[in-house]
Amino acid sequence: MTAAEAGEHAERFARLSAEIESAVLGKREMVRLALVAMLSEGHVLLEDVPGVGKTTLARAIAAATDGEWQRIQFTPDLLPSDVTGAPVYNQDTREFQFHPGPVFSNVVIADEINRASPKAQSALLEVMEERRVTVDGRRHPVPRPFLVVATQNPVEMDGTYRLPEAQLDRFLVRLSMGYPDTESELAIMRGDRLTDTEDLKTVVDAAQLAEMSAAARRVHIHDAIYSYALGIAHTTRDHEEIHVGVSPRATAALMRALRMYVLSEGRHYATPEDVKALAVPVWAHRLVLAAGSAVSGRTPGEVLADIVDRAPTPQPVRLGGE
């Protein structure tokens, strides 16, 4: 990939991000990481308190990419067929015909995923991994692009079903929107700079998104960057504060996200700083802390950030001067 080509894709990414940010004020990095996840064929877990823009972010992504979106409200009585769809008997043809569920959309909002039963959760997570629904031996692929934005409310945990670590591993990134800064919240209160998601313009279509995803696969990653990321991963597997470190699937996921993250900045090569920027959002939710660390109040993100800070950083001379 040439620098000029990387710059063209970065400009397209910037226009898409800016359009979404007009509806989601003050969350530039969250918008960027969500788009990186979508273009890397990954999914997003948003864990935050109500009312900070989780649903708005998902709807804005769908609007700016000319995609369809649907929301699934995860409740204790939700059935797997309510997520994936089910065969419906047609009296005219006297045959069962598949009726697609809400997962057959470009952006699927799984609202409060931890409130549904494990069986309903598994139905969604299977589609996230396979990108298709199999009913009566027939495969039904979901549209492309396909992004699941699942939300969790960390405050009201009564009557919820915690996602197991193996299922958390299906999400490329876990993000926390957080409260907006003072200027952005004042703009939201006044409503003078906030664009409704219904009024957003389509910036890129499915074909252009596919071009960007394909281009990201040609981003250069030096062997020293691979070794640097792998060294951090190995440290999580032998760390005294961590019971279960990151898996090989997690290291591969980081590389997918890394390529798209680099391209969004208009570069055709990765640096150690890119790894540092993505390590926590891509890996922290995949870690299981040891009992002592969990009791002390340490979070996986804090432990991982310490590991990244202490990891020896490759020097430019070792990267061939790139």
Side-chain angles (χ1 to χ4, degrees):
M1 178 184 295
T2 64
E5 186 179 359
E8 291 176 4
H9 288 293
E11 183 181 356
R12 182 181 293 173
F13 188 99
R15 286 189 286 107
L16 175 59
S17 180
E19 186 68 17
I20 295 170
E21 288 170 33
S22 66
V24 186
L25 297 181
K27 298 298 175 186
R28 174 166 296 180
E29 190 62 19
M30 296 301 102
V31 170
R32 180 184 183 186
L33 290 173
L35 289 176
V36 165
M38 180 179 69
L39 291 166
S40 305
E41 296 194 338
H43 305 285
V44 178
L45 178 63
L46 290 178
E47 192 171 80
D48 219 322
V49 297
V52 292
K54 300 188 295 291
T55 302
T56 302
L57 172 61
R59 293 181 60 181
I61 291 174
T65 56
D66 195 27
E68 295 183 1
W69 69 274
Q70 291 201 53
R71 181 207 298 266
I72 308 172
Q73 190 67 47
F74 276 67
T75 56
D77 60 346
L78 188 75
L79 299 176
S81 58
D82 296 330
V83 175
T84 61
V88 176
Y89 185 71
N90 188 323
Q91 293 186 352
D92 294 333
T93 62
R94 296 186 178 182
E95 294 179 346
F96 281 95
Q97 295 180 344
F98 178 67
H99 184 73
V103 293
F104 287 86
S105 302
N106 299 111
V107 179
V108 178
I109 305 171
D111 215 359
E112 296 192 281
I113 188 174
N114 55 332
R115 294 202 176 278
S117 68
K119 183 176 285 190
Q121 293 175 358
S122 297
L124 176 66
L125 293 163
E126 182 180 358
V127 181
M128 290 166 52
E129 181 72 15
E130 304 295 334
R131 296 182 181 267
R132 61 175 179 260
V133 173
T134 303
V135 178
D136 294 336
R138 296 186 60 184
R139 295 178 177 178
H140 305 273
V142 296
R144 296 293 185 98
F146 178 63
L147 172 69
V148 171
V149 179
T151 70
Q152 285 193 136
N153 181 354
V155 178
E156 300 175 4
M157 299 302 292
D158 292 338
T160 62
Y161 299 86
R162 181 176 174 272
L163 288 176
E165 285 72 22
Q167 295 186 352
L168 285 172
D169 203 34
R170 305 289 183 180
F171 290 95
L172 181 62
V173 295
R174 180 175 64 178
L175 307 176
S176 178
M177 296 289 287
Y179 292 110
D181 56 53
T182 301
E183 182 181 354
S184 298
E185 190 162 5
L186 282 172
I188 293 171
M189 293 169 65
R190 296 183 181 122
D192 55 356
R193 286 171 39 209
L194 192 64
T195 303
D196 190 273
T197 54
E198 300 293 334
D199 298 326
L200 293 180
K201 300 177 182 177
T202 298
V203 177
V204 297
D205 56 22
Q208 292 171 323
L209 289 173
E211 289 178 7
M212 295 172 68
S213 297
R217 289 192 286 271
R218 293 188 285 118
V219 167
H220 176 66
I221 299 180
H222 195 280
D223 286 344
I225 300 297
Y226 281 116
S227 298
Y228 174 59
L230 189 59
I232 297 173
H234 283 171
T235 302
T236 67
R237 298 167 189 171
D238 299 322
H239 199 275
E240 60 182 7
E241 293 188 82
I242 299 175
H243 178 60
V244 178
V246 296
S247 65
R249 176 162 54 193
T251 57
L254 180 68
M255 292 301 106
R256 294 204 323 269
L258 182 66
R259 289 185 170 91
M260 192 65 242
Y261 187 85
V262 168
L263 188 64
S264 72
E265 288 198 339
R267 286 185 281 110
H268 59 284
Y269 60 91
T271 69
E273 296 305 317
D274 300 319
V275 176
K276 293 178 181 179
L278 289 176
V280 172
V282 176
W283 280 353
H285 62 286
R286 307 169 195 262
L287 300 177
V288 179
L289 293 184
S293 298
V295 171
S296 67
R298 291 265 281 173
T299 66
E302 292 171 345
V303 176
L304 181 57
D306 289 345
I307 293 173
V308 172
D309 288 341
R310 296 173 183 175
T313 303
Q315 299 303 310
V317 66
R318 293 176 59 191
L319 298 176
E322 294 179 2

